[in-house]
Amino acid sequence: EYIAPPSYPKVDARKVVDIYQRSDEITLDGFDMEDSWLDAEENEVSNVTTEGTSASFAGKYYSTWDDDYFYLFISVNDPTASVYDGADNWKKDGTQLYWDVRNYLLGGSIAANTQHQLTAAYGGTLDQIYVSNGYTEYYNNIENSLYFDVASAETGSGYSMEMRIPWASMYYNADDVNTFELCLAAKTIAIGDTLGFDMQLNDYNAATDNREGTKNWSGTADDNPGTWQNSGVWGGLRLADATGVERNAVQSSLKVYP
């Protein structure tokens, strides 16, 4: 078990929401047509973490899961969104995800060998995803995909992204768990566990070739250091023992009497 240095204590997730098991097959096409998305919780990505975003820039995400994969659907309102051109994906329109499958969050730092960051630009292909543990990139080509998958779609107000991330890949480290087979053997996540997590959305300006601003789900502009260097500001996603359809059926059966 990783033991945090005294200067970086283990802290609780800043906020925790439940995510529900998928209720149908998910086709990764960038559209949210499946029941699993219709019945998932909506989470606003609204914390301005870098000033400069346009007034209309906004985003939200939905998540679901099964025994093998963690799924995300991201919807972004960005009328000036640019499809990825193949360079500098960290500053282009798209997302940066942060996770720790053990939910061992450190106040003021990251566990460089076990906490992961994924960068995916809008319109980018699978081989253009960047994934690192700590600051060391471990995946940037399809041969080492560990069964990641991503799809993007243009919408009337911006774009959407749909992702499938294997639970097993979240156990990767640069030492002794460095193949998919070893990751799969290490996988233990189950109902009731919490995934340490944050999401950042990037707002890119093609005219200046700069990332003009960012918004996060959990991190805030007051955090120092911020999300990419400080897992202590992340939230958490708790794996619920129900599908979204079952949860909604229970809620709709409740009656409130005057």
Side-chain angles (χ1 to χ4, degrees), residues 81-94 120-125 127-128 152 204-210:
S82 301
V83 174
Y84 184 48
D85 60 3
D88 299 326
N89 63 359
W90 62 271
K91 68 179 181 181
K92 300 297 173 63
D93 290 315
Y122 159 50
T125 57
D127 60 319
Q128 293 169 326
S152 301
Y204 173 69
N205 186 325
T208 61
D209 190 30
N210 283 315

Side-chain angles (χ1 to χ4, degrees), residues 49-53 57 201-204 210-215:
T49 43
T50 306
E51 295 291 343
T53 57
F57 180 70
L201 296 177
N202 298 329
D203 187 14
Y204 173 69
N210 283 315
R211 183 173 67 183
E212 292 200 329
T214 59
K215 286 189 174 182

